Structures are given as C-alpha cells and as structure tokens.
Amino acid sequence: MNAQATIEIIGAPAACAEGTTDSWRDLARWLTGQIKGRYGQAVSVTYHDLFDPDCPPLPEGAHLPLVLVNGEVLTSGGKISMPAIRQKLMAIGISPNGH
C-alpha cells in the first residue's frame, strides 16, 4: 500500500489599506498545485479559513499560518514552507511522483 498524507493549512484574511487580503489562501492554492504536480494523489491539501465552520481546532499556543500534516503540527506562524513540507512527506515515506 502506498503512503498517503493530508496537509491542512489554516490561515485568515489580513487587514490592509485596501481592505483585506487573503494571501495565505492564495499561497495555499499555489502550494496545492505544486504538491499535486509533484506527489499526485498521494497527498491532499486543504485550506481552512480560521473562521470557517469546518476549521479544525487550533492547538494551544498555535499561530497562523498553521500547517498540519496528518493532523500533526508541522509549522506554526512564520511562513508556509514548501521545503519543510517536502521533508516531512519524505520522512513519512511519500516520494515525488511515486518514486
């Protein structure tokens, strides 16, 4: 059986001079394309707005953006890191394009 992973990214819109921006959602969309192109069906990516009803509960002390891999915190606050995600996927046995 092939390894599978679920990546969840939790963010929120940010206020700016022009109103609000949703840059974490935009970055999550881009990252989803990169992940799908590299890992195919072995990895699913879901973005949750902090205020969405289906947003998973935040662990105590968590900061946005929060990145979970298979329900475990990968990063909390700072940047959404593609290298950190790739390293975690490799550690749990998921190789690019099934190799």
Side-chain angles (χ1 to χ4, degrees):
M1 177 177 214
N2 295 335
Q4 297 282 312
T6 300
I7 299 170
E8 294 177 284
I9 301 169
I10 302 170
C16 66
E18 292 80 31
T20 60
T21 63
D22 211 351
S23 56
W24 286 330
R25 184 183 306 270
D26 294 340
L27 182 56
R29 275 191 205 114
W30 176 84
L31 184 108
T32 298
Q34 297 296 306
I35 294 284
K36 288 296 183 186
R38 189 172 181 106
Y39 297 96
Q41 297 302 313
V43 180
S44 66
V45 181
T46 305
Y47 178 84
H48 300 280
D49 185 290
L50 179 63
F51 305 108
D52 288 344
D54 66 340
C55 182
L58 298 182
E60 189 172 328
H63 298 280
L64 299 179
L66 180 66
V67 179
L68 307 169
V69 177
N70 291 344
E72 295 181 12
V73 175
L74 176 66
T75 60
S76 175
K79 296 181 180 181
I80 298 172
S81 171
M82 182 68 161
I85 292 169
R86 285 195 317 255
Q87 185 176 25
K88 178 64 174 180
L89 293 174
M90 188 170 33
I92 59 176
I94 298 176
S95 300
N97 296 319
H99 295 103

